Amino acid sequence: MTRQYFGTDGIRGRVGVHPITPDFVLKLGYAVGRVLAKEGAQMCIGKDTRLSGYMFESALEAGLSYAGVDVAMLGPIPTPGIAYLTQTLDMLGGCVVSASHNPYYDNGIKFFGATGEKLDDEIESKIEEILDQPLKCVDPDKLGKARRISDAAGRYIEFCKSSARTLDLRGLTIVLDCANGATYHVAPCVFRELGAKVITIGNSPDGLNINDGYGSTSPENLIKKVLAEKADFGIGFDGDGDRVAMVGADGTLYDGDDLLYILAIHRKERAVVGTLMSNLGFEHALKTQGIDLIRAKVGDRYVLEQMKANNLLLGGENSGHILCMDKHCTGDGIIASLQVLIALNASGLSFKEALANLNKYAQIMINVTIEKGAVWDTPKLQAHIAKLTHNLNNTGRILIRASGTEPVVRVMAEALDQTLAKSTVADLVKMIQG
């Protein structure tokens, strides 16, 4: 069933523009409660640091209560922390108020089931069906109650530390960039309590500065700080803490493909799951080590589907969503970075040494803004893609796809030659824009 509101990572958009409005979010909470509810059901609600989070967590709480569901309020906490607490607090499900790596003026809602995993497409479609129905309040004595979990962050900190029991960070200096987001009060505690000297940037959220010049999607300040402090590592998270990028002592930035490669080699995996965006050079490097790359659709939910289907423990996206299923049920930036540090420590290698056999192709991507409902995937475009692919002479690839979280078309080309990759993308963008 085609979903009207849910994308690859919940529902997301600009605050105040339908559907990211208080009245819609109240209905959404009610619909989720109706679809998932059972007697004595509880759901938890967490959020990142956006100013609008206060408004939307209240709207969700009201909607869930109207459907007869009790609510546990977690406050600002990383998305994977909400998944963890959904499991350990025996919740019906979890709600996340976040727009991840987007600016403060966007927000969104996503949900976890009782296992801490994201809801599947079928359940999201059932929720959308309820959204079209009138609200019907439960009996007054059946209304949901709300309570606050005051030690939510502390529970999650201990969980992160437990995922890296063998890791001793004493003697290391690590710069953490928390994107002025949900990891600001969690990540520094984790790394300090594991022994590192921690230097923080992007850890003073004011409701408006989330992802603004900081975090995994804006790593320039992290690189500068690592070099200025002569730190051993830099680690950058996104606004809700499910993505990570890392920086070596020499200021080199490493993305999800780099980190997955290090983990796959360390763990001696037979296969890992990436996405359509995973670099071709990453795939070839894995192959030389006897490791297969299985490509999923873009979105960590689809990575997880393929991991389950193939009974695999490791997967992720080059954007920095990394899933270590022996450690957590969802992508977790803090846990992924700890696992990379464990791998490097075990090998005794630096980032550069560990990645010596990974030669990535030049990958150029441009986002083309489109109007909702606009037709961009035409036969003419497909014919042109075939022609350009032929020009790459089997030494590259082209991928064009609509984003599941933003009103854009992502145009990507890979090639051994960066100039060729750039010219290919420019050619395709020109055709899409007309």
Side-chain angles (χ1 to χ4, degrees):
M1 180 181 295
T2 301
R3 294 168 299 161
Q4 181 179 358
Y5 297 112
F6 283 95
T8 57
D9 201 21
I11 300 172
R12 191 181 301 179
R14 190 170 182 115
V15 174
V17 178
H18 184 75
I20 310 301
T21 59
D23 56 334
F24 178 87
V25 172
L26 186 148
K27 290 181 180 178
L28 181 62
Y30 170 79
V32 169
R34 281 280 309 278
V35 170
L36 299 182
K38 57 185 179 182
E39 183 136 2
Q42 296 184 76
M43 292 191 74
C44 56
I45 301 175
K47 62 181 181 178
D48 64 24
T49 56
R50 291 161 214 274
L51 184 61
S52 60
Y54 295 97
M55 176 172 65
F56 290 126
E57 68 174 349
S58 297
L60 274 173
E61 177 193 343
L64 288 164
S65 177
Y66 205 67
V69 177
D70 290 345
V71 177
M73 309 294 281
L74 305 179
I77 188 169
T79 289
I82 299 164
Y84 166 70
L85 290 167
T86 297
Q87 287 181 305
T88 58
L89 296 175
D90 195 25
M91 295 283 168
L92 172 73
C95 311
V96 183
V97 182
S98 174
S100 188
H101 56 282
N102 288 31
Y104 81 91
Y105 49 74
D106 289 338
N107 215 330
I109 314 292
K110 49 190 171 184
F111 299 97
F112 293 110
T115 62
E117 296 177 5
K118 292 178 182 178
L119 301 181
D120 62 35
D121 293 352
E122 182 181 356
I123 293 177
E124 289 181 347
S125 294
K126 289 179 180 178
I127 292 169
E128 291 202 356
E129 288 180 27
I130 300 293
L131 284 170
D132 293 329
Q133 300 175 14
L135 274 66
K136 183 179 178 181
C137 188
V138 297
D139 293 338
D141 62 329
K142 301 293 185 183
L143 288 168
K145 301 180 290 294
R147 62 190 174 103
R148 186 161 294 280
I149 307 294
S150 59
D151 61 345
R155 290 175 184 238
Y156 177 55
I157 288 168
E158 291 305 312
F159 171 64
C160 291
K161 288 163 55 183
S162 73
S163 73
R165 296 185 189 279
T166 63
L167 185 61
D168 183 353
L169 298 178
R170 286 177 294 182
L172 295 179
T173 299
I174 298 177
V175 178
L176 299 181
D177 182 350
C178 298
N180 291 310
T183 61
Y184 81 99
H185 61 318
V186 172
C189 292
V190 172
F191 286 87
R192 283 194 186 103
E193 291 177 22
L194 288 173
K197 175 186 176 182
V198 174
I199 298 167
T200 55
I201 61 174
N203 68 321
S204 301
D206 61 11
L208 305 177
N209 60 0
I210 187 169
N211 300 311
D212 186 9
Y214 289 90
S216 61
T217 54
S218 300
E220 296 81 10
N221 284 311
L222 176 59
I223 293 169
K224 289 177 183 176
K225 194 68 172 177
V226 167
L227 294 173
E229 298 288 343
K230 295 182 171 56
D232 297 286
F233 299 101
I235 303 173
F237 307 104
D238 69 337
D240 71 332
D242 60 2
R243 292 190 188 192
V244 64
M246 297 183 72
V247 175
D250 63 352
T252 302
L253 178 69
Y254 299 102
D255 67 8
D257 284 349
D258 300 313
L259 306 184
L260 270 176
Y261 180 81
I262 290 171
L263 291 173
I265 299 300
H266 169 67
R267 291 165 170 243
K268 298 179 172 61
E269 299 288 347
R270 62 179 174 84
V272 299
V273 177
T275 72
L276 297 172
M277 295 297 295
S278 298
N279 194 280
L280 199 55
F282 168 62
E283 181 177 3
H284 292 168
L286 287 176
K287 198 70 174 175
T288 63
Q289 299 294 323
I291 302 171
D292 291 329
L293 176 67
I294 298 170
R295 291 186 184 267
K297 292 190 294 184
V298 174
D300 58 336
R301 64 190 298 157
Y302 302 117
V303 171
L304 180 57
E305 283 180 6
Q306 287 295 326
M307 291 173 69
K308 286 183 173 180
N310 291 279
N311 195 28
L312 299 174
L313 293 176
L314 186 63
E317 304 183 86
N318 60 356
S319 62
H321 278 125
I322 296 176
L323 293 90
C324 302
M325 291 298 289
D326 57 331
K327 302 299 179 183
H328 201 355
C329 63
T330 191
D332 188 314
I334 294 175
I335 287 177
S337 60
L338 291 173
Q339 295 306 303
V340 171
L341 293 177
I342 288 172
L344 292 175
N345 182 62
S347 68
L349 301 176
S350 66
F351 265 122
K352 190 159 288 187
E353 292 166 338
L355 295 167
N357 295 320
L358 173 56
N359 300 304
K360 290 198 279 190
Y361 282 38
Q363 186 181 88
I364 306 297
M365 186 175 74
I366 294 179
N367 292 332
V368 181
T369 302
I370 56 170
E371 296 294 329
K372 187 174 182 179
V375 177
W376 58 271
D377 191 6
T378 63
K380 183 178 178 182
L381 176 62
Q382 289 302 317
H384 198 55
I385 290 172
K387 177 185 175 183
L388 293 174
T389 300
H390 178 75
N391 292 342
L392 291 173
N393 195 28
N394 297 320
T395 59
R397 64 190 183 104
I398 292 169
L399 177 66
I400 304 180
R401 65 179 186 89
S403 169
T405 59
E406 301 173 83
V408 299
V409 171
R410 306 198 193 281
V411 182
M412 186 272 285
E414 283 182 333
L416 288 172
D417 178 68
Q418 187 171 32
T419 301
L420 179 57
K422 284 183 177 180
S423 63
T424 300
V425 167
D427 195 339
L428 291 166
V429 168
K430 183 178 179 181
M431 176 167 282
I432 292 171
Q433 292 177 330

